[in-house]
Amino acid sequence: GPLTSLINHSSKNPNVRIEWASNSTFLHPEWKELNLKEVGVQNHAGLSFDYIAIRNIEEGDEILLDYGKEWEEAWNEHVRTWAPPKDAARYKAACEMNNDYTSTLWPNHQSPYYPNNVQMTCHSEYLDMWGYQPNNDWETYYCRIVKQYTGTDGEDLYDVEILEITENSDAMETTVEVDGILFSVPRDIIYFEDLPYTRDYYMRNAFRHEMMIPE
């Protein structure tokens, strides 16, 4: 399952090993003879692994797997040569910014406050409450803060513009137009999304290397 992707590497102290599953609904041993391109066009799962304990694992122990000598050597080389990309000091994932619903946000023209890898959006369920009728049936409503102030009860309030962002892939241009404006909205109408392909695992110098599968 997806949680197996969280199993970390240890060549010195592993407590599990992997082997091809011998009793599985995904058992298609003939797939082992296919190349990656041939496997990639299959429309269903055909192979799976078993994770087998090689020593006693107590409750609370971390599951550790030996990824193989080649992986470890590649990782050590990556650590030795890695350098942070441009603007790395300002990077912050959208999920981290969304964890804090209490901090004051600032107008977007104060750009140093926001990392370059996120886009501000507004929760769609709030829009009807504030009388906004969009011109398009969008799934995501991009917005930007034009004013921040404090309400009579001490709550942070915002005036925000709803943006229509159009991408022209042929001309390699992006246009931004204001589609509407909401006044005196609360902090929790606003959240952040990662811009496409900006998460750390998409970076060109992110570490990528296959795990080795025992014969």
Side-chain angles (χ1 to χ4, degrees):
L3 290 179
T4 58
S5 64
L6 302 178
I7 298 177
N8 285 321
H9 164 73
S10 174
S11 59
K12 298 179 179 179
N13 196 34
N15 50 20
V16 297
R17 61 179 175 85
I18 59 174
E19 64 178 36
W20 293 112
S22 58
N23 184 17
S24 169
T25 56
F26 305 128
L27 189 60
H28 287 273
E30 68 276 9
W31 281 29
K32 297 178 185 179
E33 307 303 321
L34 302 180
N35 58 42
L36 289 177
K37 186 176 181 180
E38 292 170 330
V39 172
V41 298
Q42 305 299 320
N43 59 7
H44 60 91
L47 294 171
S48 62
F49 294 116
D50 287 333
Y51 289 76
I52 301 172
I54 57 178
R55 56 184 172 84
N56 290 337
I57 301 175
E58 303 296 335
E59 182 177 354
D61 287 351
E62 181 179 5
I63 305 299
L64 298 169
L65 173 70
D66 186 351
Y67 290 1
K69 180 181 178 182
E70 293 89 345
W71 187 97
E72 185 168 66
E73 290 175 346
W75 169 253
N76 291 336
E77 178 66 12
H78 172 77
V79 172
R80 187 184 68 82
T81 60
W82 184 85
K86 182 181 178 181
D87 295 331
R90 291 189 59 197
Y91 175 85
K92 196 171 187 179
C95 60
E96 297 178 67
M97 302 189 70
N98 291 331
N99 284 336
D100 185 2
Y101 287 99
T102 60
S103 63
T104 298
L105 299 176
W106 304 102
N108 286 65
H109 64 268
Q110 299 178 0
S111 58
Y113 178 77
Y114 301 107
N116 296 328
N117 59 285
V118 298
Q119 170 65 53
M120 185 178 292
T121 60
C122 287
H123 282 291
S124 58
E125 57 265 29
Y126 277 89
L127 301 183
D128 287 340
M129 296 170 60
W130 265 263
Y132 173 69
Q133 298 296 324
N135 294 326
N136 296 279
D137 185 20
W138 299 329
E139 295 182 0
T140 300
Y141 293 86
Y142 297 111
C143 60
R144 65 187 173 201
I145 299 171
V146 294
K147 185 178 180 181
Q148 179 275 329
Y149 46 95
T150 303
T152 56
D153 59 356
E155 178 187 16
D156 286 334
L157 296 176
Y158 302 88
D159 296 344
V160 299
E161 293 175 332
I162 306 298
L163 306 177
E164 180 175 1
I165 300 178
T166 305
E167 295 185 1
N168 185 334
S169 57
D170 294 332
M172 299 183 67
E173 294 178 344
T174 300
T175 59
V176 179
E177 297 180 357
V178 177
D179 189 68
I181 186 167
L182 304 179
F183 297 96
S184 303
V185 299
R187 167 66 179 86
D188 56 359
I189 195 175
I190 300 166
Y191 69 106
F192 295 90
E193 286 191 353
D194 295 294
L195 291 174
Y197 306 110
T198 60
R199 288 299 301 269
D200 49 4
Y201 42 76
Y202 286 114
M203 292 180 180
R204 291 182 180 273
N205 63 344
F207 179 71
R208 297 175 179 87
H209 196 280
E210 65 275 10
M211 291 169 52
M212 308 312 294
I213 304 171
E215 293 292 341

